[in-house]
Amino acid sequence: MATFKVPSQVSRSVLTVDTLLGVDMTNDPSNVDKSQSPNGQNLIRDVPGKVRKCMGYEKLFALEHAIHGYHGYGEKPGLLHAGTKLYRVDLAGDSEPELVYSEAADRPSRSWQLAERLFLADGKALLVYDGETVKKASEIAKIPLFTIAKAPAGGGKQYEQLNLLQPKFQEMFLGTEDAKEYHLSFSGLDSADVTVEVLSAQGDWVKKSEGADFSVNRQTGVVTFTTAPGQSPVSGQDNVRITAARTVAGYADRINKCDIGILFGVNGAADRLFLSGNPDYPSYDWYSGQNDPTYWPDTGYSTLGSGGSAVMGYSIINNYLAAHKDERDTDRNVVIRRGDLVDNQPAFPITNTLQGPGAVAKGSFCYLCTEPVFLTALGIYAITPSDISGERYSQDRSYYVNGALTRESGLAGAVAAVFRDLYWLCVNGHAYILDGLQSLGQERSEPYSTRQYACFYRTNIPASAIWVENDRLFFGDSSGAVYRFFDDPKAQESYSDDGQPIHAVWETPDFSGKLFYKNKTFRYLALQLTPAIATSVKLYAQKRGIWGFLREETRKARYFSYASLIYSKFTYSNDQTTKTLHTKLRIKRVDKARFRFENDQRNEPFGLMAYALEYVENGNYKG
């Protein structure tokens, strides 16, 4: 009797992906982890492991020139830098920008708040803002007391250094009974007024008049009294005070031409302003007096690394100051200093240097969680506290977007801000975003890196400056427009870029099954979406390198809300729980396939939580 054997049914395989960790724009799509997307745009972390469409932005107002930066000043209105003008503006209110200064540099500026004032550096002049007016710091700069206990003929004790920012200095003399000539420390005085004061018997300083009470030989630096001031009425106390000016060419420009800086001090205190970025002295930096950025001692400077390599920015790591150099200095790209007191004077000795790629963008320095991050030609790098005393290089943190980021032109013009644990780096209309809450761990690390952050990619962000104010994210563009990002993820109106739709895409890696050389037949696709009043998704599949449209789902992930009724997107469903969508597939005899989920509708949120595939493998793939 003949018998027949029924072939066993080919087993069905299931792939479920319920953790979504941003994009991988560096590896080939066939080598991308299933939790990442080789082509994902305009999606951001919703909660760790889930993604949603990025919220858009609205235009607040427009000025005439490119936006170079915003400088917050506590609860007072901040300053908006547009072109060569500074505007006082309250971004939390509806008031119009008020012009307060019109002689700024037409380039990016940076600011620091110290001693209840805001100081701005733009490469043209160090400016100071008190909440009402903007002045050049040189106009109110400290006049240093250069010497004390000085005899009329000279000598004395040096008390303070000259101020680079302005030419005036002051000297105190202990007068003698008959001396009429008082010799200043410098000859070649400016033609500006010389101020002379004499201590009276009552303990008051009495101002004298040039011409009537004294004369000045500015060439020799000698003040001659008509009548000798005599001895001091208080034993041992100086009784003659002379203020004069002596301009040294280029002194003020050493400070005014700086455009980067940071607050640092002895033992890590943030009580001195460090400035650098002067193109005439690229490897120099200067530090101010304690709690006084109008005073810049002429001896308060350091030379960092080789003279041809520029300082690009600063970071604070624990109680140390890190100065980041450009790529020209291959031996010491990061110079580490500490703050000490030596003979009661501040000193900032170098304690270590680190090697690695040089910084390329002055506007890229931020702190992501506890890490200082900055842009290099090889990607976004970080320095950790362990690097200070160890021998590690600075570490890559943007491996998964480096495939696109490092190909961008004009990286020197990149600008950055940190907003709610996300580092936004904007260049050429794109934003590369590192998620400080999602570290991919040691098992996903790359060479010279202890970990990598989940990364996201945003389009249509033409930012020339980006900043955070009052827990809101803003940016300005090169045309002078100022935009504010929406902050309510549940509002339909949050999902447009100044009225334009946002095209959100999550593309899967290539799926080649358990055995890459076997034929695959994909039969079923399911998605888990976040419900919304109005949302939709378009599904695509790629087979043999060609994309094909599968279907569009416009109803099943929606729920009804009378308060936000949209008749064109009406649904009877009141179910606000997570939605599962599915579709049958007919993709046969392929070695791999790729899928794409899109939402490109204006004012529609889109949240992707998970997806799953069912497929079978049978026979060897013959191509």
Side-chain angles (χ1 to χ4, degrees):
M1 180 178 177
T3 60
F4 298 92
K5 183 177 181 180
V6 178
S8 60
Q9 186 175 3
V10 178
S11 62
R12 180 173 300 183
S13 299
V14 176
L15 172 70
T16 300
V17 179
D18 57 7
T19 300
L20 306 175
L21 295 173
V23 299
D24 181 351
M25 306 173 77
T26 301
N27 289 306
D28 185 90
S30 62
N31 198 37
V32 172
D33 188 86
K34 65 181 181 179
S35 65
Q36 293 173 286
S37 172
N39 178 26
Q41 67 179 35
N42 296 324
L43 292 168
I44 200 75
R45 181 240 303 150
D46 185 8
V47 295
K50 312 298 179 184
V51 295
R52 61 164 172 81
K53 192 176 184 178
C54 293
M55 287 184 286
Y57 50 80
E58 59 183 334
K59 181 188 289 187
L60 297 182
F61 52 82
L63 300 172
E64 296 178 352
H65 303 287
I67 304 300
H68 293 311
Y70 174 82
H71 308 284
Y73 190 33
E75 297 182 356
K76 297 181 181 180
L79 291 178
L80 185 66
H81 184 181
T84 62
K85 299 177 180 179
L86 297 176
Y87 297 85
R88 184 170 57 197
V89 59
D90 182 4
L91 293 176
D94 298 324
S95 59
E96 292 294 323
E98 177 187 358
L99 179 64
V100 294
Y101 189 78
S102 58
E103 298 179 7
D106 192 3
R107 53 179 295 181
S109 55
R110 295 166 187 89
S111 63
W112 307 268
Q113 188 172 338
L114 184 62
E116 300 181 354
R117 292 176 292 182
L118 188 70
F119 291 84
L120 288 80
D122 62 3
K124 181 179 180 181
L126 181 63
L127 304 175
V128 58
Y129 173 58
D130 60 5
E132 297 293 333
T133 60
V134 175
K135 297 180 180 179
K136 293 180 179 179
S138 58
E139 296 177 6
I140 58 172
K142 174 182 175 177
I143 300 174
L145 179 56
F146 187 64
T147 55
I148 59 175
K150 189 172 185 177
K157 178 181 179 181
Q158 185 171 347
Y159 187 72
E160 293 178 322
Q161 303 296 329
L162 296 177
N163 189 351
L164 291 174
L165 203 55
Q166 56 84 32
K168 292 184 178 181
F169 63 95
Q170 196 172 79
E171 298 195 82
M172 302 280 286
F173 293 82
L174 187 61
T176 61
E177 185 174 354
D178 300 323
K180 294 183 179 181
E181 291 187 354
Y182 283 68
H183 293 251
L184 298 176
S185 296
F186 303 102
S187 58
L189 303 179
D190 294 351
S191 60
D193 290 344
V194 174
T195 302
V196 174
E197 299 165 281
V198 176
L199 189 65
S200 70
Q202 291 75 33
D204 300 321
W205 287 100
V206 179
K207 186 176 181 180
K208 300 298 182 177
S209 299
E210 185 174 358
D213 300 318
F214 66 92
S215 61
V216 182
N217 186 328
R218 288 173 168 78
Q219 184 175 357
T220 61
V222 176
V223 173
T224 303
F225 287 89
T226 304
T227 303
Q231 295 181 339
S232 175
V234 180
S235 178
Q237 180 176 335
D238 293 335
N239 67 316
V240 176
R241 183 164 64 191
I242 301 177
T243 303
R246 172 179 168 269
T247 299
V248 179
Y251 259 24
D253 279 347
R254 295 186 185 185
I255 304 303
N256 285 325
K257 286 188 175 182
C258 293
D259 63 357
I260 57 174
I262 199 168
L263 296 177
F264 185 70
V266 174
N267 295 323
D271 57 4
R272 297 176 189 269
L273 178 57
F274 280 67
L275 287 180
S276 189
N278 187 327
D280 300 330
Y281 300 89
S283 62
Y284 282 59
D285 68 3
W286 293 264
Y287 57 86
S288 74
Q290 188 175 24
N291 294 312
D292 187 3
T294 71
Y295 176 44
W296 296 86
D298 63 349
T299 57
Y301 68 92
S302 300
T303 305
L304 307 174
S306 65
S309 174
V311 179
M312 298 295 291
Y314 293 96
S315 299
I316 300 296
I317 310 171
N318 291 344
N319 286 331
Y320 293 87
L321 174 63
H324 302 261
K325 306 293 293 294
D326 64 20
E327 68 279 2
R328 297 177 186 175
D329 202 335
T330 57
D331 295 328
R332 43 174 62 186
N333 296 107
V334 183
V335 181
I336 309 296
R337 285 177 289 178
R338 68 172 187 264
D340 296 333
L341 278 179
V342 178
D343 296 330
N344 207 34
Q345 295 296 318
F348 301 96
I350 295 174
T351 62
N352 198 5
T353 59
L354 304 177
Q355 293 175 312
V360 298
K362 293 181 178 181
S364 67
F365 289 83
C366 290
Y367 296 90
L368 179 57
C369 299
T370 60
E371 288 191 335
V373 289
F374 57 98
L375 179 63
T376 76
L378 300 180
I380 301 167
Y381 272 62
I383 292 181
T384 67
S386 61
D387 296 328
I388 297 300
S389 56
E391 296 181 354
R392 298 179 184 172
Y393 289 16
S394 51
Q395 300 181 25
D396 179 24
R397 290 290 183 261
S398 61
Y399 173 81
Y400 294 110
V401 290
N402 285 346
L405 173 59
T406 57
R407 292 198 296 267
E408 294 277 7
S409 61
L411 288 178
V415 294
V418 170
F419 179 62
R420 297 179 182 174
D421 299 308
L422 297 170
Y423 172 78
W424 291 63
L425 180 80
C426 301
V427 59
N428 299 328
H430 307 141
Y432 297 87
I433 305 169
L434 305 189
D435 186 355
L437 287 186
Q438 296 191 107
S439 171
L440 301 188
Q442 182 65 39
E443 67 277 6
R444 300 286 298 279
S445 65
E446 303 302 324
Y448 303 114
S449 174
T450 55
R451 66 175 177 274
Q452 290 292 330
Y453 291 119
C455 301
F456 299 94
Y457 177 67
R458 181 76 158 87
T459 64
N460 195 30
I461 307 293
S464 59
I466 186 168
W467 65 90
V468 176
E469 178 73 2
N470 296 321
D471 199 33
R472 296 291 296 272
L473 185 61
F474 298 79
F475 75 91
D477 66 17
S478 58
S479 70
V482 174
Y483 301 91
R484 178 175 61 194
F485 282 91
F486 296 108
D487 67 342
D488 184 358
K490 295 184 178 180
Q492 301 291 122
E493 296 76 13
S494 295
Y495 295 92
S496 68
D497 286 344
D498 194 29
Q500 300 300 312
I502 302 171
H503 187 193
V505 177
W506 183 274
E507 189 174 300
T508 71
D510 286 333
F511 291 129
S512 55
K514 298 176 181 178
L515 299 172
F516 71 91
Y517 59 88
K518 293 290 186 180
N519 282 319
K520 286 87 184 175
T521 298
F522 292 89
R523 295 180 174 178
Y524 184 82
L525 170 66
L527 299 180
Q528 193 175 56
L529 300 184
T530 304
I533 297 167
T535 188
S536 61
V537 61
K538 295 177 181 178
L539 307 178
Y540 297 84
Q542 184 191 82
K543 57 181 180 179
R544 298 182 179 90
I546 300 174
W547 284 103
F549 177 72
L550 296 177
R551 61 171 294 190
E552 180 178 12
E553 177 54 65
T554 62
R555 297 290 180 184
K556 291 185 178 180
R558 298 175 179 175
Y559 63 85
F560 176 78
S561 172
Y562 186 79
S564 303
L565 180 61
I566 304 174
Y567 282 104
S568 63
K569 301 179 180 181
F570 180 81
T571 180
Y572 288 104
S573 174
N574 290 313
D575 184 2
Q576 299 184 29
T577 61
T578 301
K579 303 291 186 177
T580 298
L581 311 182
H582 60 87
T583 186
K584 293 182 178 179
L585 302 175
R586 295 180 60 85
I587 301 176
K588 299 181 178 181
R589 304 185 67 80
V590 297
D591 62 332
K592 61 183 178 298
R594 196 187 310 175
F595 300 88
R596 188 166 68 215
F597 320 126
E598 295 187 6
N599 178 287
D600 58 1
Q601 297 300 303
R602 178 175 175 267
N603 292 341
E604 279 195 3
F606 173 62
L608 180 61
M609 301 186 70
Y611 63 90
L613 287 166
E614 290 187 0
Y615 63 97
V616 296
E617 290 183 315
N618 185 22
N620 293 337
Y621 178 72
K622 294 183 170 51

